[in-house]
Amino acid sequence: DAKTTQPTSMDCAEGRAANLPCNHSTISGNEYVYWYRQIHSQGPQYIIHGLKNNETNEMASLIITEDRKSSTLILPHATLRDTAVYYCIVRVAYDKVIFGPGTSLSVIP
Amino acid sequence: EAGVTQFPSHSVIEKGQTVTLRCDPISGHDNLYWYRRVMGKEIKFLLHFVKESKQDESGMPNNRFLAERTGGTYSTLKVQPAELEDSGVYFCASSQETGWKTQYFGPGTRLLVL
């Protein structure tokens, strides 16, 4: 099963870009990388996903390395409301979201 | 468009009592999932409905947990009898179609068993 590893925690200054790394070295060729986040006391929130190409939406950008063994979620201008736990997820079972411990991002004023 | 809603938002019960949690998915979403996070642990999958049918219930911890989705709309998750270790946050999610699609989560129900 494909698994992911992420740093336990990170800090980012308000207004700066937050770059959250994820390693998924055992990812299969047709598996997408998904990012979710969980803000305190809320349910997990979908952010973005990608397969091979870099992706961008209104929330973030996703950079996937050419070998697909790692990816980086970029929040271009972090705000205090971006403080949350960020989960990098690779599909490991049909229809299931498998959450790891994630990265706790603290945006500092 | 309304998101996934869950009721109640909080529940405090005594050990041995019964609690029923409800989830209303996004309209038109055939797939409905239950997850939970118990104290200090990661969010874990419980089960998956496709319309009214249970597609995968491999994450259900034991037979004290019963999930239903009559009519393929809202779903309930009953815990009977509740134990202390059932305390945690129960999340519901829904998605369109079958197969790996973006799942949209509700705010969760916080259950405390005393």
Side-chain angles (χ1 to χ4, degrees):
Chain A
D1 290 345
K3 295 181 180 177
T4 64
T5 56
Q6 300 176 251
T8 302
S9 63
M10 294 181 62
D11 292 338
C12 177
E14 187 179 16
R16 303 297 293 270
N19 297 284
L20 293 93
C22 178
N23 289 321
H24 31 79
S25 58
T26 59
I27 191 171
S28 298
N30 61 349
E31 288 180 326
Y32 282 78
V33 179
Y34 276 73
W35 283 82
Y36 281 77
R37 74 179 182 183
Q38 187 176 19
I39 296 172
H40 180 62
S41 78
Q42 298 181 19
Q45 176 190 25
Y46 165 79
I47 301 174
I48 198 168
H49 73 282
L51 182 63
K52 297 180 180 178
N53 299 321
N54 298 337
E55 301 288 344
T56 296
N57 63 21
E58 65 278 5
M59 291 183 66
S61 294
L62 175 60
I63 309 297
I64 302 174
T65 58
E66 191 171 343
D67 63 8
R68 302 211 326 120
K69 292 185 177 182
S70 66
S71 60
T72 300
L73 178 74
I74 301 173
L75 307 178
H77 304 287
T79 71
L80 299 180
R81 287 178 292 182
D82 292 322
T83 293
V85 178
Y86 287 77
Y87 299 98
C88 169
I89 296 161
V90 174
R91 174 183 171 180
V92 294
Y94 188 76
D95 273 358
K96 294 178 185 177
V97 178
I98 309 295
F99 289 90
T103 295
S104 178
L105 175 68
S106 297
V107 179
I108 303 169
Chain B
E1 179 183 290
V4 177
T5 58
Q6 294 186 244
F7 182 83
S9 59
H10 296 77
S11 180
V12 181
I13 61 173
E14 293 186 350
K15 176 183 174 181
Q17 290 185 324
T18 298
V19 63
T20 301
L21 314 180
R22 172 170 170 146
C23 169
D24 286 78
I26 293 173
S27 178
H29 282 192
D30 288 341
N31 293 274
L32 187 149
Y33 309 81
W34 284 98
Y35 297 82
R36 75 170 181 176
R37 166 184 272 150
V38 295
M39 187 66 68
K41 300 291 182 64
E42 297 165 8
I43 300 172
K44 297 290 188 183
F45 167 85
L46 295 178
L47 88 159
H48 168 212
F49 284 99
V50 177
K51 296 184 179 179
E52 67 275 10
S53 299
K54 292 178 184 176
Q55 183 77 15
D56 180 353
E57 51 184 332
S58 61
M60 295 288 265
N62 52 61
N63 59 10
R64 295 186 294 103
F65 289 76
L66 175 64
E68 295 179 322
R69 193 183 181 195
T70 305
T73 55
Y74 70 91
S75 174
T76 59
L77 179 65
K78 179 188 290 187
V79 185
Q80 179 181 28
E83 299 289 344
L84 300 180
E85 63 265 24
D86 300 331
S87 295
V89 184
Y90 290 76
F91 295 105
C92 174
S94 72
S95 70
Q96 289 181 315
E97 305 172 24
T98 302
W100 182 252
K101 301 294 180 185
T102 301
Q103 295 185 16
Y104 297 92
F105 283 76
T109 292
R110 282 144 189 81
L111 175 65
L112 179 60
V113 182
L114 301 176

